[in-house]
Amino acid sequence: MMQRFKGLIKLKQARNGLLSYQRNFSALPYDAQYDDPQDQVLVEGRAKSRAAILNRPASRNALTIPMVARLKRLYESWEENHDIGFVLMKGSGKAFCSGSDVVSLCELLNEGKMEECKTYFQTLYKFVYLQATYLKPNVAILDGFTMGSGAGIAVPGMFRVATNKTVFAHPEAQIGFHPDAGASFYLSRLPGYLGEYLALTGDKLNGVEMIACGLASHYALHERLDLIEERLGKLITDEATVIETSLAQYGDLVYPDKTSVLYKIETIDKCFSHDTVEEIVDALENEAANSYNEWCKNAIGKIKEASPLSLKVTLHSIREGRFQSLDQCLAREYRMSLAGMSKRVSNDFCEGVRARLVDKDFAPKWDPPSLEEVSKDMVDSYFSPLGELEPELELPTTLREPYI
């Protein structure tokens, strides 16, 4: 098993892997002091670069409509500015970004403000595509929580620096949603069926594991970040190789701990390669019974906590993502997000947010309540074209081609 990952673990090889540079949800106290969009995303000017700082620390930098709009405007203006050679993004406090502010999104839905939710997802997905097609080198410092769409705004970029404080996860199915912001693209390209495992269980990876499977391009200790930023801030360059060399100077050669889920890859492939969620659960139960494997029992428990509808929608999304480009994944995820927001099939999204993040009773009333009651038509409705009266997500694919 170790041989399967050895080639992915070294920094140089990880940089040439899945996302080569050659081409959590938050329910924490509302950041009233950061109502101004300019306060939610701060800007630092450097010699030949700019840094965007996600600045809602009390909410673990959960993304809002003003935040993604400001990020998109900043990155577009920086790309056009010939005095700027490269850009950097990081978070303030103990998180890079915990994902979308889903509590605020549900409040908007309950107030009948569906158009504002559409604007959020349109802007978010367009920013993800901008990151993936950016014409200048860009760096994301993934220190702390990097979850949900918080991962989506960073993983498509050129350089992703993980640390010993990084916590990566896609727990969307546990709140009745689906991994979005390009997640169906990059999760489907992880080794074996690791992407399906992460998406269905919501399990976490640390920074070392992100390097090993290619989600991060570099690894550095949290304690060295000030040195890295100081070094980058002094660079007068727009060359990716120069930035890569600077990041590598502070990098560490790291290997996953023996308890890492990456050492379970054979079991993951055996169980999560099946075509349906029901078959995946059955495979895990058989594995648990035959091997008395506590890890299998934990995986089953995590899956059974999630929305049955979201599980089936999520699996279908990852499987489609294996054969689609990033722009196709984003366009499909936009349809899926609108279907979830519309409550036409189910109210699982707002119910999951209520149970886990608002009331915190951890007793969501899923609709449908079981996998067996989720019909094929229900799942298919999340993937259907939006129709004449509802515009599809438009991305500048003829002008911008992703590096990944």
Short mmCIF file of all heavy atoms in Angstrom, two decimals, residues 19-42:
data_model
loop_
_atom_site.label_atom_id
_atom_site.label_comp_id
_atom_site.label_asym_id
_atom_site.label_seq_id
_atom_site.Cartn_x
_atom_site.Cartn_y
_atom_site.Cartn_z
N LEU A 19 -2.85 18.57 -9.65
CA LEU A 19 -3.14 19.96 -9.99
C LEU A 19 -1.83 20.71 -10.18
O LEU A 19 -1.55 21.68 -9.50
CB LEU A 19 -3.98 20.60 -8.88
CG LEU A 19 -5.33 19.94 -8.63
CD1 LEU A 19 -5.95 20.51 -7.38
CD2 LEU A 19 -6.24 20.11 -9.82
N SER A 20 -1.02 20.28 -11.13
CA SER A 20 0.29 20.88 -11.37
C SER A 20 0.16 22.34 -11.75
O SER A 20 -0.77 22.75 -12.42
CB SER A 20 1.00 20.13 -12.48
OG SER A 20 2.13 20.83 -12.92
N TYR A 21 1.19 23.13 -11.34
CA TYR A 21 1.12 24.56 -11.66
C TYR A 21 1.34 24.79 -13.13
O TYR A 21 1.07 25.86 -13.65
CB TYR A 21 2.13 25.35 -10.82
CG TYR A 21 3.57 25.20 -11.19
CD1 TYR A 21 4.12 25.96 -12.22
CD2 TYR A 21 4.38 24.31 -10.50
CE1 TYR A 21 5.45 25.82 -12.54
CE2 TYR A 21 5.71 24.18 -10.82
CZ TYR A 21 6.24 24.93 -11.84
OH TYR A 21 7.55 24.82 -12.17
N GLN A 22 1.82 23.77 -13.85
CA GLN A 22 1.93 23.91 -15.29
C GLN A 22 0.54 23.72 -15.84
O GLN A 22 0.31 23.11 -16.80
CB GLN A 22 2.94 22.91 -15.83
CG GLN A 22 4.33 23.19 -15.31
CD GLN A 22 5.34 22.17 -15.79
OE1 GLN A 22 5.00 21.25 -16.50
NE2 GLN A 22 6.55 22.36 -15.41
N ARG A 23 0.18 24.08 -15.89
CA ARG A 23 -1.26 24.23 -16.08
C ARG A 23 -1.97 23.01 -15.63
O ARG A 23 -2.45 22.26 -16.38
CB ARG A 23 -1.72 24.60 -17.36
CG ARG A 23 -1.41 25.98 -17.74
CD ARG A 23 -1.47 27.09 -16.86
NE ARG A 23 -2.51 28.03 -16.89
CZ ARG A 23 -2.38 29.22 -16.40
NH1 ARG A 23 -1.36 29.52 -15.70
NH2 ARG A 23 -3.28 30.04 -16.50
N ASN A 24 -16.15 24.76 6.01
CA ASN A 24 -16.92 24.10 7.03
C ASN A 24 -18.06 25.03 7.34
O ASN A 24 -17.99 26.23 7.25
CB ASN A 24 -16.01 23.84 8.21
CG ASN A 24 -16.68 23.66 9.49
OD1 ASN A 24 -17.83 23.92 9.59
ND2 ASN A 24 -16.02 23.22 10.50
N PHE A 25 -18.45 24.56 7.14
CA PHE A 25 -19.62 25.39 7.36
C PHE A 25 -19.55 26.06 8.72
O PHE A 25 -19.12 25.46 9.67
CB PHE A 25 -20.89 24.54 7.29
CG PHE A 25 -20.95 23.76 6.05
CD1 PHE A 25 -20.79 22.40 6.08
CD2 PHE A 25 -21.11 24.38 4.85
CE1 PHE A 25 -20.83 21.67 4.93
CE2 PHE A 25 -21.14 23.66 3.69
CZ PHE A 25 -21.01 22.30 3.73
N SER A 26 -20.07 27.27 8.84
CA SER A 26 -19.94 28.00 10.10
C SER A 26 -21.29 28.39 10.67
O SER A 26 -22.16 28.88 9.97
CB SER A 26 -19.10 29.25 9.89
OG SER A 26 -19.01 29.97 11.08
N ALA A 27 -21.43 28.16 11.95
CA ALA A 27 -22.58 28.68 12.69
C ALA A 27 -22.09 29.45 13.89
O ALA A 27 -22.77 29.58 14.89
CB ALA A 27 -23.48 27.54 13.15
N LEU A 28 -20.89 29.96 13.80
CA LEU A 28 -20.30 30.72 14.89
C LEU A 28 -20.88 32.13 14.92
O LEU A 28 -21.59 32.53 13.99
CB LEU A 28 -18.78 30.75 14.73
CG LEU A 28 -18.14 29.37 14.84
CD1 LEU A 28 -16.65 29.47 14.53
CD2 LEU A 28 -18.34 28.76 16.21
N PRO A 29 -20.61 32.90 15.94
CA PRO A 29 -21.23 34.24 16.07
C PRO A 29 -21.02 35.10 14.83
O PRO A 29 -19.95 35.11 14.23
CB PRO A 29 -20.51 34.83 17.28
CG PRO A 29 -20.08 33.65 18.08
CD PRO A 29 -19.75 32.59 17.09
N TYR A 30 -22.06 35.81 14.47
CA TYR A 30 -22.01 36.68 13.30
C TYR A 30 -21.01 37.82 13.52
O TYR A 30 -20.96 38.43 14.58
CB TYR A 30 -23.40 37.26 13.04
CG TYR A 30 -23.44 38.27 11.93
CD1 TYR A 30 -23.13 37.91 10.63
CD2 TYR A 30 -23.80 39.59 12.19
CE1 TYR A 30 -23.17 38.84 9.60
CE2 TYR A 30 -23.84 40.53 11.17
CZ TYR A 30 -23.53 40.15 9.89
OH TYR A 30 -23.57 41.06 8.87
N ASP A 31 -20.19 38.10 12.50
CA ASP A 31 -19.16 39.13 12.61
C ASP A 31 -19.75 40.50 12.31
O ASP A 31 -19.60 41.04 11.22
CB ASP A 31 -18.02 38.85 11.62
CG ASP A 31 -17.37 37.52 11.88
OD1 ASP A 31 -17.86 36.50 11.37
OD2 ASP A 31 -16.36 37.50 12.59
N ALA A 32 -20.44 41.07 13.27
CA ALA A 32 -21.10 42.35 13.04
C ALA A 32 -20.12 43.45 12.66
O ALA A 32 -20.42 44.35 11.90
CB ALA A 32 -21.90 42.75 14.27
N GLN A 33 -18.89 43.34 13.23
CA GLN A 33 -17.91 44.40 12.96
C GLN A 33 -17.37 44.34 11.55
O GLN A 33 -16.63 45.20 11.12
CB GLN A 33 -16.77 44.32 13.98
CG GLN A 33 -15.88 43.06 13.84
CD GLN A 33 -16.37 41.94 14.71
OE1 GLN A 33 -17.56 41.68 14.78
NE2 GLN A 33 -15.45 41.27 15.38
N TYR A 34 -17.73 43.25 10.80
CA TYR A 34 -17.21 43.10 9.44
C TYR A 34 -18.33 43.22 8.41
O TYR A 34 -18.31 42.55 7.39
CB TYR A 34 -16.50 41.75 9.30
CG TYR A 34 -15.37 41.56 10.30
CD1 TYR A 34 -15.43 40.54 11.23
CD2 TYR A 34 -14.27 42.41 10.30
CE1 TYR A 34 -14.40 40.38 12.17
CE2 TYR A 34 -13.24 42.25 11.22
CZ TYR A 34 -13.32 41.23 12.15
OH TYR A 34 -12.32 41.07 13.06
N ASP A 35 -19.34 44.04 8.68
CA ASP A 35 -20.44 44.21 7.75
C ASP A 35 -19.97 44.79 6.42
O ASP A 35 -20.50 44.48 5.37
CB ASP A 35 -21.53 45.14 8.35
CG ASP A 35 -22.50 44.36 9.22
OD1 ASP A 35 -22.52 43.12 9.08
OD2 ASP A 35 -23.20 44.98 10.02
N ASP A 36 -19.00 45.68 6.45
CA ASP A 36 -18.46 46.28 5.25
C ASP A 36 -17.70 45.22 4.45
O ASP A 36 -16.80 44.58 4.98
CB ASP A 36 -17.51 47.42 5.62
CG ASP A 36 -17.09 48.24 4.41
OD1 ASP A 36 -16.99 47.68 3.30
OD2 ASP A 36 -16.85 49.45 4.58
N PRO A 37 -18.06 45.02 3.15
CA PRO A 37 -17.37 44.01 2.34
C PRO A 37 -15.86 44.20 2.33
O PRO A 37 -15.11 43.22 2.25
CB PRO A 37 -17.97 44.22 0.94
CG PRO A 37 -19.31 44.82 1.19
CD PRO A 37 -19.16 45.67 2.42
N GLN A 38 -15.41 45.45 2.40
CA GLN A 38 -13.97 45.68 2.39
C GLN A 38 -13.31 45.17 3.66
O GLN A 38 -12.12 44.85 3.68
CB GLN A 38 -13.68 47.18 2.20
CG GLN A 38 -14.09 47.68 0.82
CD GLN A 38 -13.51 49.04 0.51
OE1 GLN A 38 -12.59 49.50 1.17
NE2 GLN A 38 -14.03 49.69 -0.52
N ASP A 39 -14.08 45.10 4.76
CA ASP A 39 -13.55 44.54 5.99
C ASP A 39 -13.55 43.01 5.97
O ASP A 39 -12.78 42.37 6.66
CB ASP A 39 -14.35 45.03 7.19
CG ASP A 39 -14.16 46.52 7.44
OD1 ASP A 39 -13.07 47.03 7.10
OD2 ASP A 39 -15.09 47.16 7.96
N GLN A 40 -14.47 42.43 5.18
CA GLN A 40 -14.56 40.97 5.10
C GLN A 40 -13.44 40.37 4.26
O GLN A 40 -13.07 39.21 4.44
CB GLN A 40 -15.92 40.55 4.53
CG GLN A 40 -17.09 40.87 5.44
CD GLN A 40 -18.41 40.33 4.92
OE1 GLN A 40 -18.45 39.48 4.05
NE2 GLN A 40 -19.50 40.85 5.45
N VAL A 41 -12.91 41.15 3.33
CA VAL A 41 -11.73 40.74 2.55
C VAL A 41 -10.75 41.90 2.56
O VAL A 41 -10.97 42.91 1.90
CB VAL A 41 -12.09 40.36 1.09
CG1 VAL A 41 -10.83 39.93 0.34
CG2 VAL A 41 -13.13 39.25 1.05
N LEU A 42 -9.68 41.74 3.32
CA LEU A 42 -8.67 42.78 3.40
C LEU A 42 -7.63 42.60 2.30
O LEU A 42 -7.49 41.52 1.73
CB LEU A 42 -7.97 42.73 4.77
CG LEU A 42 -8.88 42.85 6.00
CD1 LEU A 42 -8.05 42.73 7.27
CD2 LEU A 42 -9.66 44.16 5.99
#
